[in-house]
Amino acid sequence: MARLYESRKRILVTGGAGFVGSHLIDRLLEQGHEVLCVDNLFTGAKRNIEHLHNHSRLEFMRHDVCFPLYVEVDEIYNLACPASPVHYQHDPVQTTKTSVIGAINMLGLAKRVKAKIFQASTSEVYGDPSVHPQPESYWGNVNPIGIRSCYDEGKRCAETLFFDYHRQHAVEIKVARIFNTYGPRMHPADGRVVSNFIVQALKGDPITIYGEGKQTRSFCYVDDLVEGFLRLMDTGPDVTGPINIGNPVEFTMIELAQEVLALTGSKSELVYLPLPQDDPTQRKPDIAKAKQFLNNWEPNVPLREGLKHTIDYFRNVR
């Protein structure tokens, strides 16, 4: 059925009670849309959206995307999947199911209701890259049978499904490859390096650095990431992605730890542990496509500023 008005959309966000999903919902509501937040609360938390309690344009549904969903929506943002090693390795079979079966179910929904659909993919599709920085044309260096494979290969298969639904069924798709993101509402126990370092520093515990700490990551503040999502979703049907969304400024793990120590005033010591299996040594996005297709998008929040906001959040989180 054709819509009678165009400015307000009905938008489904799977994984909407998660770290990134909750920030996306904030922006969508600010734009005046109606939002259906779907989450099974495996890693998401209602506290991430409790500030929106009783919001007239937000509906929450507890649901696992591994099961079909029958709703009427105009757009879908598919963010449902554990995204940190601690969480996605806890139940690797379920992680793969969420990526693959969840993608099938959401693509099936998009096909039925003729909705535009966004896939939150990941820089993990590049594995431990032999090309640096990583452009979207790089096919990656992924271990298909390692402990991280449930996430890496699950997301790679999800991308395959998105493009096959696009080619075979003319579903309008948008695929973003997310690089390391941080900010308020990260789970304190998600095992990601930013949250690990901040929590350890605030407690005065030793800060754990894996390997020699010379491996690099590029950290994108969550507000910048969400802006990239919205710009990608607003592109025409000829822009499908995949498009890297991340910050091209690299930091070593030691540099990140020193920044966190300085901002928290912590006296925590650095301790060095063996490098986990398949942990990438370098991670940096080539964002030329994002600049070209997303109205010259690039991150605006420097690491120090973003860390201050994130540290303030963790000081008060319970």
Side-chain angles (χ1 to χ4, degrees):
M1 178 182 293
R3 297 299 303 276
L4 299 179
Y5 47 88
E6 294 298 328
S7 59
R8 177 180 290 185
K9 299 174 184 175
R10 294 186 296 250
I11 301 177
L12 166 63
V13 179
T14 71
F19 158 48
V20 173
S22 63
H23 285 277
L24 173 61
I25 286 175
D26 285 343
R27 287 291 305 275
L28 294 173
L29 291 173
E30 286 173 10
Q31 292 180 346
H33 302 302
E34 298 174 11
V35 178
L36 172 59
C37 171
V38 167
D39 205 300
N40 68 353
L41 301 181
F42 174 60
T43 57
K46 283 189 175 180
R47 69 170 178 268
N48 289 335
I49 55 172
E50 66 184 1
H51 62 288
L52 301 171
H53 183 60
N54 289 331
H55 195 293
S56 62
R57 286 182 278 106
L58 176 66
E59 178 183 355
F60 174 79
M61 179 188 296
R62 187 162 184 170
H63 179 84
D64 189 329
V65 295
C66 290
F67 298 91
L69 183 62
Y70 299 96
V71 293
E72 295 294 327
V73 292
D74 302 303
E75 292 182 354
I76 303 167
Y77 286 84
N78 186 37
L79 276 61
C81 189
S84 72
V86 168
H87 290 149
Y88 67 63
Q89 291 173 21
H90 173 72
D91 190 344
V93 172
Q94 186 62 32
T95 296
T96 304
K97 284 182 176 180
T98 301
S99 287
V100 177
I101 299 175
I104 291 171
N105 285 331
M106 291 306 105
L107 285 161
L109 173 61
K111 177 187 172 186
R112 286 194 301 273
V113 302
K114 295 180 171 54
K116 186 190 306 185
I117 182 168
F118 175 102
Q119 168 67 1
S121 191
T122 173
S123 61
E124 299 294 342
V125 300
Y126 299 122
D128 187 5
S130 56
V131 173
H132 192 75
Q134 293 82 57
E136 292 86 349
S137 58
Y138 176 52
W139 289 357
N141 177 36
V142 175
N143 177 0
I145 58 171
I147 59 173
R148 301 170 67 102
S149 306
C150 58
Y151 185 68
D152 301 1
E153 295 288 28
K155 288 290 191 177
R156 286 164 68 94
C157 185
E159 286 196 15
T160 300
L161 286 163
F162 265 69
F163 279 89
D164 282 338
Y165 265 78
H166 174 64
R167 286 184 287 256
Q168 187 172 340
H169 300 298
V171 173
E172 186 174 353
I173 64 167
K174 309 292 178 183
V175 177
R177 289 178 176 164
I178 302 169
F179 282 68
N180 294 71
T181 303
Y182 70 102
R185 303 180 201 158
M186 296 183 79
H187 195 293
D190 69 5
R192 293 190 238 200
V193 64
V194 171
S195 50
N196 269 1
F197 284 4
I198 291 175
V199 170
Q200 289 167 343
L202 291 176
K203 290 182 176 179
D205 294 340
I207 289 184
T208 52
I209 293 182
Y210 295 96
E212 297 179 356
K214 295 180 181 177
Q215 65 270 39
T216 65
R217 295 292 185 272
S218 306
F219 300 104
C220 184
Y221 189 64
V222 64
D223 289 356
D224 287 330
L225 181 83
V226 168
E227 178 63 26
F229 284 9
L230 297 173
R231 293 193 192 188
L232 177 53
M233 198 60 137
D234 283 343
T235 57
D238 56 320
V239 178
T240 59
I243 291 182
N244 291 337
I245 301 183
N247 195 326
V249 181
E250 280 183 284
F251 293 89
T252 67
M253 298 302 94
I254 292 177
E255 289 172 334
L256 175 64
Q258 291 170 339
E259 194 70 66
V260 169
L261 288 173
L263 291 172
T264 57
S266 174
K267 303 299 181 184
S268 294
E269 296 181 353
L270 305 184
V271 297
Y272 294 83
L273 300 176
L275 199 65
Q277 179 186 341
D278 300 327
D279 193 55
T281 55
Q282 290 179 306
R283 192 55 66 69
K284 174 182 176 178
D286 180 330
I287 62 169
K289 277 194 173 182
K291 289 184 176 181
Q292 178 183 355
F293 294 110
L294 309 185
N295 195 24
N296 209 32
W297 176 89
E298 61 182 340
N300 291 316
V301 180
L303 182 65
R304 175 172 282 261
E305 180 184 338
L307 284 176
K308 287 180 181 178
H309 295 311
T310 310
I311 290 166
D312 287 344
Y313 170 79
F314 278 109
R315 286 189 194 276
N316 298 305
V317 72
R318 295 289 182 267

